[in-house]
Amino acid sequence: MSEYGFVSENIANVRKNVEAAAKRAGRDPKEILLLAVSKTMEVPRIKAAVECGLNSLGENRVQEIMEKYEPMGPDVKWHLIGHLQTNKVKYIIDKVELIHSVESLKLAEEIDKQAKKHGLVADILVEINMAKEESKFGIMPEEAESFITELSKLENIRVRGLMTVAPFVENAEDNRVYFRNMKQLLVDINAKKINNINMDTLSMGMTGDYEVAIEEGATIVRVGTGIFGKRDYGNK
């Protein structure tokens, strides 16, 4: 077994859990994207995951996407899942599949501007602070509809759905209410039939609570340590 053999074992385990959670909810597991969160991980370890078929990778920082973009090659689909500063948008606009963390009009307008320069339409998610934690980024749920209405006027952005970072909890069940409310918010906003808005994506759930998130409707789960093992923040 290679140095990173544990990665394939972890992936097999996570996939089994994803499938079981989907079946409990009467869902097709194929509806759910397992996003491997590769922040702080070295390229060989990430490649071990890609070799197992996980070619969608999530990074928190623009710098890490830039560093890993060439070494990981053209077959990887990058997702920016962390807080994005407006001055960094230009570096990744043509490199990422999806930006998960849009939570200000200023950022959305910059994404729109840079996308236009590249002749593309940027897929984005609106970050919702569903638990209303002071330490977290995101739009308050009650402001989501008016915010998305503003975004719908931008020609080079496509709002694909919503994202949340749920609280860090010991018991995943404690986050069920937030995931359920996220799904309801998505349904409610879609029902308003805002021009150009038809959202189908819910990015929610991480290593500790992704099974509960899937039961409540997640279409993307962001799993890092559950795939790659513990992170070493000493290098970053």
Side-chain angles (χ1 to χ4, degrees):
M1 187 183 279
S2 80
E3 183 187 352
Y4 298 112
F6 68 92
V7 171
S8 60
E9 288 176 11
N10 287 349
I11 290 169
N13 189 44
V14 171
R15 280 182 169 145
K16 194 172 68 183
N17 293 340
V18 166
E19 198 165 321
K23 284 184 175 161
R24 286 196 296 274
R27 300 179 61 198
D28 181 350
K30 293 189 185 72
E31 292 174 8
I32 298 142
L33 173 66
L34 175 54
L35 185 65
V37 178
S38 50
K39 66 178 184 181
T40 78
M41 294 299 164
E42 65 277 26
V43 166
R45 194 185 305 210
I46 304 169
K47 282 190 169 167
V50 175
E51 281 163 16
C52 294
L54 288 192
N55 68 335
S56 291
L57 302 176
E59 286 287 348
N60 278 48
R61 296 164 69 236
V62 167
Q63 186 185 339
E64 285 201 63
I65 291 180
M66 302 301 290
E67 287 167 2
K68 295 168 185 175
Y69 190 79
E70 291 290 333
M72 288 305 303
D75 298 328
V76 164
K77 294 176 177 172
W78 293 98
H79 291 231
L80 194 282
I81 61 176
H83 181 60
L84 178 57
Q85 294 168 299
T86 49
N87 63 346
K88 302 267 179 77
V89 173
K90 58 180 178 274
Y91 300 117
I92 52 129
I93 191 67
D94 58 341
K95 293 180 174 64
V96 296
E97 186 86 358
L98 186 62
I99 298 170
H100 289 230
S101 46
V102 176
E103 41 83 47
S104 76
L105 193 55
K106 185 182 167 196
L107 174 59
E109 286 169 345
E110 182 64 19
I111 293 169
D112 182 65
K113 182 176 117 181
Q114 296 297 336
K116 193 169 196 171
K117 276 188 193 174
H118 285 267
L120 53 87
V121 176
D123 282 337
I124 67 157
L125 303 179
V126 172
E127 182 170 359
I128 306 292
N129 187 348
M130 189 51 85
K132 302 188 175 180
E133 293 182 279
E134 283 185 23
S135 60
K136 297 263 174 75
F137 291 104
I139 298 286
M140 289 299 159
E142 57 273 18
E143 295 165 2
E145 186 190 328
S146 60
F147 181 63
I148 288 169
T149 301
E150 287 300 309
L151 299 192
S152 71
K153 300 168 188 170
L154 300 172
E155 289 181 8
N156 290 75
I157 274 181
R158 182 164 42 224
V159 182
R160 292 292 308 278
L162 309 176
M163 178 271 239
T164 199
V165 180
F168 181 76
V169 290
E170 290 293 321
N171 181 0
E173 281 297 326
D174 294 345
N175 280 336
R176 188 178 292 277
V177 62
Y178 303 123
F179 298 144
R180 187 171 291 165
N181 290 344
M182 283 287 291
K183 174 67 190 243
Q184 193 56 52
L185 185 62
L186 184 103
V187 168
D188 290 348
I189 293 174
N190 274 339
K192 303 283 185 189
K193 304 230 179 309
I194 301 166
N195 222 5
N196 302 323
I197 300 294
N198 180 25
M199 302 187 294
D200 60 6
T201 304
L202 270 179
S203 169
M204 58 189 195
M206 299 194 285
T207 293
D209 55 17
Y210 65 88
E211 293 172 74
V212 173
I214 288 168
E215 290 170 2
E216 295 301 335
T219 63
I220 302 176
V221 290
R222 310 182 302 271
V223 180
T225 50
I227 289 168
F228 295 110
K230 289 271 188 282
R231 292 199 178 85
D232 176 11
Y233 286 101
N235 300 328
K236 295 288 166 192

